Amino acid sequence: MTEERPAGTPVLRRMNRAAVLDAVRRRAPEPVRLAELSQLTELTRPTVAQAVEDLLAAGWLRQHAPQPATVGRPATRFSLNGRAAPVLGLDVGPHTVTAGIADLAGERLAVIRRTVGRRSARHLLEAVDEATEEALATAGLAAEQIAAVTAATPGIVEETTGRVLFVPSVPGWSEIDLAGRLRARFRCAVTVENDANLAALAAAHQRTGAGTLLAVQWGERLGAGVVIDGRLHRGAGQAGEIGFIRPVDNRPDAHLPNADPPNADPPDADPPDADPPDADPPDADAPDADLPDAAGDGRGPLERAIGAEAIVNLARRRAAAHPESRLARATDAAAVFAAAAGGDPLAAEVVDRVAAVFAEAIAPVVLVLSPHVIVIGGGIARAGAVLLDAIARHLEDLTLTPPGVELSELAEGTVLTGAIQMALDEVWRDTLTVC
């Protein structure tokens, strides 16, 4: 009978390496001394020294020259070798693709943005390839050095396969195997995730403590992600598609002063029962104007009511009779919010109505989830307090316990930050298991 050899020593040595590496990670990018690592890990100094030696040999750590000491012998310091396992994050949008490469400590090595020429799957793929290649060149890395990739995409994504199931904003995009293409290119762990979900993870990562967070990506389109106690909530797969919420009144100007009341007939209109001469009979199969595809662009009712483009259109309609208003010169949503913040009364009315439509649409979500905070990212996150205060005021009247409402400090960069963070989490899960 052969004697069974104990497996404790190699197992413990691997556990010690993982504990030391995790401690260095938590202190990154600041270098740390052996004595500090011993305190952080509660391991003896010789054990820490052995783990550090192993990690240096494996390329996970780098050694720094000792700092001059006034008393005693200067201590050698160690930090993460960020380039041991860099990651790639992609924010793939209908109009813009952004590629970002970060090292193990999360430091950005490259961020490249490319505009999509046309709204098609082929042009979107070209932008992905161009942005990725330039990001690799800028970071001085080859594709085989990337340890994990996370790509953010609009639409509904199947969690198990990374397949994009539905994305009306980019024709043909659901027919592209984005995950497969990226795996063939990088030969590493690849995740494809909904962009609003990644924005939610980025927002949650910036906060401390448990709780429920609702992160809203608000630009030309609207989407949301839900994070509960640090974990992404997917539901049956479509959680967060708030752009398809149907507002109480799809016209955001319905309750503005001088706005036409719902169902009002224009002056000199024919009576409701009168058919216009030679009119074609109603088409029973004609698309309802409230349906997501009624405009042919895949936008949902809430997106058509208060998306960035809708805000500008509303401002222009209101300014048509008021050329003295700053709204008459507004070319984008940012200008509308700036005019309101500057005291323009007409702009303030528009912002208040946009906030009211948003609050009315989101109130049922708040009542069901009772989130601790709503974080608004995307282009509208640059609106400032003028929008934030209006939303909070309307939610006060529509909910039992109004959540805090915040604008994301990352604004348009929220999705890329979430993609990079998810890729780093993937690397660390693997590394701390096998190092």
Side-chain angles (χ1 to χ4, degrees), residues 91-117:
D91 178 5
V92 182
H95 307 293
T96 306
V97 172
T98 305
I101 295 178
D103 69 9
L104 269 175
E107 180 181 348
R108 303 287 175 91
L109 305 178
V111 176
I112 302 297
R113 188 183 300 267
R114 279 285 173 270
T115 300
V116 181

Side-chain angles (χ1 to χ4, degrees), residues 143-200:
E144 55 267 22
Q145 292 176 276
I146 298 297
V149 177
T150 297
T153 176
I156 297 171
V157 180
E158 189 174 48
E159 179 184 2
T160 55
T161 65
R163 242 183 93 227
V164 182
L165 302 178
F166 176 67
V167 54
S169 58
V170 184
W173 190 239
S174 59
E175 300 169 14
I176 302 297
D177 182 10
L178 180 61
R181 288 174 62 94
L182 292 172
R183 290 188 185 104
R185 177 77 174 87
F186 291 96
R187 302 191 179 280
C188 65
V190 171
T191 304
V192 176
E193 181 58 88
N194 172 267
D195 50 6
N197 282 345
L198 290 173

Side-chain angles (χ1 to χ4, degrees), residues 106-391:
E107 180 181 348
R108 303 287 175 91
L109 305 178
V111 176
I112 302 297
R113 188 183 300 267
R114 279 285 173 270
T115 300
V116 181
R118 293 174 56 191
R119 195 165 63 96
S120 71
R122 180 174 67 84
H123 287 86
L124 193 55
L125 278 176
E126 289 175 358
V128 169
D129 290 341
E130 291 173 5
T132 299
E133 287 304 317
E134 188 169 345
L136 288 170
T138 300
L141 295 169
E144 55 267 22
Q145 292 176 276
I146 298 297
V149 177
T150 297
T153 176
I156 297 171
V157 180
E158 189 174 48
E159 179 184 2
T160 55
T161 65
R163 242 183 93 227
V164 182
L165 302 178
F166 176 67
V167 54
S169 58
V170 184
W173 190 239
S174 59
E175 300 169 14
I176 302 297
D177 182 10
L178 180 61
R181 288 174 62 94
L182 292 172
R183 290 188 185 104
R185 177 77 174 87
F186 291 96
R187 302 191 179 280
C188 65
V190 171
T191 304
V192 176
E193 181 58 88
N194 172 267
D195 50 6
N197 282 345
L198 290 173
L201 287 175
H205 191 261
Q206 288 189 306
R207 306 178 66 84
T208 57
T212 299
L213 177 146
L214 176 65
V216 176
Q217 278 298 103
W218 189 352
E220 183 177 332
R221 309 186 72 92
L222 280 94
V226 181
V227 176
I228 302 175
D229 294 338
R231 297 178 63 86
L232 187 65
H233 173 72
R234 301 175 187 275
Q238 293 82 38
E241 294 294 333
I242 63 170
F244 293 94
I245 292 175
R246 193 184 305 273
V248 175
D249 190 322
N250 275 358
R251 301 182 309 144
D253 58 348
H255 304 300
L256 285 173
N258 303 321
D260 294 331
N263 302 321
D265 293 319
D268 302 322
D270 291 324
D273 295 330
D275 292 326
D278 303 322
D280 292 327
D283 182 0
D285 296 325
D288 186 332
D290 290 339
L291 292 178
D293 61 351
D297 58 7
R299 297 183 195 180
L302 189 61
E303 293 169 329
R304 293 205 307 276
I306 58 169
E309 183 179 337
I311 293 172
V312 175
N313 291 337
L314 171 59
R316 287 173 178 168
R317 290 197 300 272
R318 296 293 294 135
H322 300 273
E324 77 284 355
S325 170
R326 288 177 60 184
L327 286 188
R329 301 182 296 278
T331 58
D332 55 25
V336 177
F337 294 118
D344 187 296
L346 203 64
E349 291 175 3
V350 170
V351 171
D352 186 73
R353 183 53 192 157
V354 168
V357 173
F358 175 79
E360 290 166 3
I362 211 74
V365 180
V366 172
L367 289 168
V368 170
L369 291 178
S370 188
H372 295 83
V373 65
I374 298 174
V375 180
I376 298 174
I380 300 300
R382 300 192 183 279
V386 66
L387 177 64
L388 203 67
D389 294 344
I391 291 173

